Amino acid sequence: GKPLAGATLVLKDANGKVIDTWVTTTSAHTVKELEPGLYTVEETKAPKGYVLNTTPIRFTLVKGGETEKVVYVYNTPETPKTGSIKISKQDITTKKELPGATLTIKDANGTVVAKWVSTNEPHYVTGLKPGKYYLTETIAPAGYDLSQETIEFTIDEDGKPSKDVVVMYNSPTPEKTGSIK
């Protein structure tokens, strides 16, 4: 219900002749001295972040009628496209899926957007908004060293990931050996 700046609107008469074209601001736009008749307001460009309103708004001015007519054009916010990513947690020596690792994905602001424990299958994270993300391991699987790696990936404006699969590896913890005399 609040005024939106940045929309391009066109006012046409009944014959389709353009009477006025303007880009909206947060203040109302006034067109003066219109003759009685049928008019149409059309949006030709939506404000950034909004869906184009393709429904023409028709109104009639009647001789001796209203001296002022207010026309409202409404826009709906765009729904950002979201993406998904396939995460594979693997043993560096066997390249097989490695269960038991706690993995975390954070967005560019450092907010945790996903956290899970790896299994014998790759994990899919869905609903990621466009932007940069960082994958880290917070708990290593038993018998493995904690990965110090931070893997960056992005989701573009169309919801596509920068990588088809993100693979993070763990190295087995070396067995401790001792000596006896």
Side-chain angles (χ1 to χ4, degrees):
K2 294 181 181 179
L4 286 174
T8 301
L9 300 178
V10 177
L11 175 66
K12 295 179 182 179
D13 67 12
N15 297 319
K17 178 183 171 194
V18 175
I19 304 297
D20 195 8
T21 300
W22 68 98
V23 176
T24 62
T25 65
T26 55
S27 299
H29 178 78
T30 302
V31 180
K32 296 182 179 184
E33 300 180 19
L34 290 174
E35 296 293 324
L38 176 66
Y39 293 91
T40 304
V41 175
E42 297 175 2
E43 182 175 72
T44 58
K45 182 180 176 195
K48 183 175 178 151
Y50 288 83
V51 177
L52 180 70
N53 184 338
T54 59
T55 305
I57 298 162
R58 292 178 175 81
F59 64 95
T60 303
L61 292 178
V62 180
K63 187 173 187 169
E66 302 171 64
T67 57
E68 185 175 301
K69 182 80 169 176
V70 179
V71 177
Y72 295 94
V73 179
Y74 293 98
N75 287 94
T76 305
E78 288 179 338
T79 304
K81 294 181 182 179
T82 60
S84 61
I85 190 83
K86 180 180 179 181
I87 308 289
S88 178
K89 183 64 176 169
Q90 298 180 9
D91 178 306
I92 198 161
T93 57
T94 66
K95 306 295 190 251
K96 291 185 179 180
E97 290 296 320
L98 184 59
T102 301
L103 301 170
T104 302
I105 294 178
K106 292 182 181 179
D107 65 15
N109 297 323
T111 303
V112 174
V113 295
K115 187 174 183 176
W116 71 98
V117 176
S118 64
T119 66
N120 290 323
E121 299 289 328
H123 182 77
Y124 290 87
V125 180
T126 61
L128 296 172
K129 294 178 183 174
K132 282 187 182 182
Y133 293 91
Y134 304 92
L135 172 69
T136 58
E137 179 178 72
T138 55
I139 300 173
Y144 288 83
D145 291 334
L146 182 69
S147 174
Q148 299 302 311
E149 190 176 20
T150 297
I151 300 175
E152 178 182 313
F153 64 92
T154 59
I155 302 294
D156 71 15
E157 294 296 323
D158 292 323
K160 295 179 183 166
S162 57
K163 301 175 183 185
D164 290 334
V165 180
V166 173
V167 180
M168 181 179 270
Y169 297 102
N170 278 88
S171 299
T173 302
E175 291 186 29
K176 294 185 181 186
T177 58
S179 59
I180 298 180
K181 283 191 176 187

